[in-house]
Amino acid sequence: MTARIYLIGFMGSGKSTYGKSIARMMDYAFIDMDDWIESRAGMRIPDIFSQHGEDRFRELETEAIAELSKTERTVIATGGGAPCFGNNMEIMKESGLTVYLKLSPEALVHRLKGARDERPLLARKTEKEMLETIRELLARREPYYNQADMIIDGLERVTERVVNAIQRRSK
Ligand code: S3P
């Protein structure tokens, strides 16, 4: 069985929620990369973006992946941009199993409209602007997300389907 499972995908795709239940079902530890970065930096992500800029946040993300790629029996929920910078996706693929939770831009807007202010890339946008931003970002990010070892429809029975697929692969 793989030592680490990286859940990747856009903001709002359920990486943290499903990550916890996947970890529970597999008896793995669970780490949310955004929380891990916040506790290391002693700062909330919106403050890292506003005080130090997105580039600094991306550096912290790359450092986090380098550290988290040494964990054992761990499900890691990554930030939505993490696979798309530097050689992060390569490191994740080399050190574990990558699973893309795929959702349409419309489904993502629906999920994100109540939580946009916690996400610096969507803060203060109308729903129409969110849809445009999500479409643009997804078009740029999907070439990375699509390199995942598994692509799972993020709408239905996600936990069971991810766990079954991982167990089938390891047989
Ligand atoms: C980001 C996604 C966020 C967080 C940061 C940037 C992105 O994580 O890392 O706000 O670039 O898509 P979630 O995907 O957990 O919301």
Side-chain angles (χ1 to χ4, degrees):
M1 197 72 94
T2 177
R4 326 171 177 92
I5 296 153
Y6 296 98
L7 296 183
I8 69 168
F10 208 78
M11 297 173 255
S13 55
K15 292 162 292 184
S16 303
T17 310
Y18 294 121
K20 282 182 200 147
S21 50
I22 293 164
R24 210 175 305 122
M25 267 182 88
M26 297 184 59
D27 198 20
Y28 270 38
F30 170 76
I31 293 177
D32 180 290
M33 218 170 86
D34 286 340
D35 291 348
W36 195 89
I37 291 172
E38 287 186 337
S39 71
R40 278 288 176 103
M43 273 176 106
R44 304 287 325 279
I45 288 174
D47 298 327
I48 302 176
F49 269 72
S50 64
Q51 294 178 31
H52 301 287
E54 180 175 346
D55 289 353
R56 178 64 191 138
F57 175 71
R58 299 302 171 195
E59 283 170 15
L60 294 172
E61 220 168 31
T62 296
E63 286 168 26
I65 290 172
E67 286 292 314
L68 297 176
S69 66
K70 298 177 202 146
T71 52
E72 292 298 332
R73 291 179 66 86
T74 306
V75 177
I76 300 157
T78 64
C84 317
F85 292 86
N87 57 352
N88 294 350
M89 189 64 185
E90 216 176 297
I91 295 172
M92 291 193 276
K93 280 177 67 79
E94 276 166 9
S95 60
L97 194 73
T98 47
V99 181
Y100 171 27
L101 303 185
K102 185 176 167 106
L103 285 163
S104 68
E106 291 73 14
L108 290 167
V109 171
H110 185 71
R111 296 224 190 155
L112 284 163
K113 59 189 178 196
R116 64 194 106 169
D117 290 336
E118 297 148 33
R119 267 96 171 187
L121 299 176
L122 300 174
R124 289 180 295 282
K125 290 192 192 292
T126 64
E127 271 181 47
K128 190 164 166 276
E129 289 166 341
M130 275 175 76
L131 185 59
E132 279 164 19
T133 305
I134 291 173
R135 283 195 177 128
E136 276 167 31
L137 273 176
L138 256 188
R140 275 193 266 143
R141 290 179 172 187
E142 278 215 305
Y144 298 94
Y145 294 161
N146 285 335
Q147 294 171 34
D149 300 302
M150 279 180 209
I151 300 180
I152 300 275
D153 175 338
L155 281 181
E156 272 186 87
R157 297 189 306 111
V158 174
T159 305
E160 294 85 332
R161 286 188 13 249
V162 172
V163 173
N164 286 342
I166 293 169
Q167 284 168 345
R168 268 202 311 275
R169 266 180 83 100
S170 348
K171 276 187 188 148

